[in-house]
Amino acid sequence: MTMLMDDLIAAIDDLKREDLEIWIQTALVHPDGDAGAPAFSEIECARVQLICTLHYDMDVEVAVLPVILELIDQLHETRHRLRALSNAVLAQDEDVRAAILAVLGTR
């Protein structure tokens, strides 16, 4: 599901067009612009909502937003990698899983 810019602005009470345009220009959000008008994926809509909460509700300064978002992105990437590693371990034979768990248990 995608949402056009006007629809996104209408859906988020505090969101200002000028702010959203700046966030796009500074690459805080990444709409799909292939259709001419910017369209936002569900994930990008959630990112805009998060930025609105941080900026409007929690008074986080615009200059700090990239740092916070980068840390959140790193956390999501780490969770993704950990899930992939867990799945790889679970796909191993019982002996290999037991050896891995033994090593992890000693730390």
Side-chain angles (χ1 to χ4, degrees):
M1 178 186 95
T2 61
M3 189 177 284
L4 295 176
M5 182 183 278
D6 289 336
D7 297 329
L8 181 59
I9 293 168
I12 301 174
D13 290 335
D14 293 331
L15 181 57
K16 298 173 185 69
R17 177 178 295 278
E18 306 81 42
D19 290 338
L20 182 55
E21 289 172 350
I22 290 170
W23 299 340
I24 293 169
Q25 291 170 359
T26 58
L28 292 179
V29 292
H30 306 281
D32 178 18
D34 294 342
F40 296 83
S41 68
E42 190 172 340
I43 290 173
E44 289 301 314
C45 289
R47 190 173 180 92
V48 170
Q49 181 64 59
L50 172 62
I51 294 170
C52 287
T53 299
L54 291 168
H55 183 60
Y56 299 134
D57 298 343
M58 300 176 73
D59 294 323
V60 173
E61 294 185 29
V62 174
V64 179
L65 289 173
V67 175
I68 293 171
L69 294 173
E70 177 64 25
L71 291 171
I72 291 170
D73 291 344
Q74 288 177 17
L75 180 60
H76 283 280
E77 179 62 25
T78 300
R79 289 179 65 205
H80 174 76
R81 288 181 178 194
L82 182 57
R83 187 174 297 118
L85 178 60
S86 295
N87 289 336
V89 169
L90 290 173
Q92 302 306 308
D93 292 332
E94 180 62 34
D95 293 341
V96 174
R97 287 196 311 261
I100 292 170
L101 290 173
V103 170
L104 290 175
T106 62
R107 296 182 188 247

